[in-house]
Amino acid sequence: MNMIAEVKKIEQEARDLEKYYKEKLDEMEKHTGSRIVEMKDIIEKDLNAYQSEQDELKRQKLEMMKDELKLEETKEKAALSSLYDKKHSKLVDIVIEEVIKQYGNS
């Protein structure tokens, strides 16, 4: 009788262990699923933050390039204006010289 009781006890322990194993496995699967959802949310937030950061960097770089272009444009306008003034002055001098040659210094 002692042997049968021992076998039944071992069988019950095996069933209890199997039940415990299945419960733990179900619990792990639930936690894994929720953990995956959490990780996806974290990754999505990180990606959005990174994208926003990159957009801001692009905006700043574009503004800097616009400023540089405006400065370069201003310098070129000043140089062209100066060149125009010199050429205009030279042209006026040449015209005056020609007028003096043709009509004399009377």
Side-chain angles (χ1 to χ4, degrees):
M1 179 78 170
N2 197 8
M3 186 66 120
I4 293 175
E6 253 332 287
V7 169
K8 286 186 179 184
K9 181 181 174 190
I10 291 172
E11 286 176 344
Q12 184 60 43
E13 287 175 356
R15 282 191 295 272
D16 290 344
L17 187 58
E18 183 180 6
K19 182 181 174 186
Y20 174 77
Y21 171 77
K22 285 181 182 179
E23 288 172 354
K24 278 297 190 185
L25 191 58
D26 288 344
E27 185 180 320
M28 286 173 60
E29 286 176 0
K30 287 179 187 175
H31 288 313
T32 300
S34 65
R35 184 69 179 137
I36 288 172
V37 169
E38 275 180 39
M39 291 170 72
K40 282 182 180 179
D41 288 343
I42 290 169
I43 289 171
E44 189 67 32
K45 287 177 185 175
D46 287 348
L47 285 173
N48 288 336
Y50 178 75
Q51 185 63 45
S52 295
E53 182 181 310
Q54 291 301 307
D55 289 345
E56 179 61 21
L57 289 173
K58 286 179 190 176
R59 188 195 65 73
Q60 288 175 359
K61 188 171 183 178
L62 182 60
E63 286 299 317
M64 187 175 73
M65 291 173 78
K66 282 181 183 178
D67 291 343
E68 289 173 359
L69 186 59
K70 283 181 184 178
L71 181 63
E72 187 177 316
E73 182 181 340
T74 302
K75 286 179 180 179
E76 283 185 30
K77 282 181 181 179
L80 286 173
S81 180
S82 175
L83 181 61
Y84 173 80
D85 290 343
K86 286 179 186 177
K87 295 289 183 179
H88 183 264
S89 179
K90 188 174 182 180
L91 178 63
V92 168
D93 289 346
I94 291 172
V95 168
I96 291 173
E97 202 175 288
E98 285 300 315
V99 168
I100 290 174
K101 281 183 187 176
Q102 280 195 358
Y103 297 105
N105 200 4
S106 16

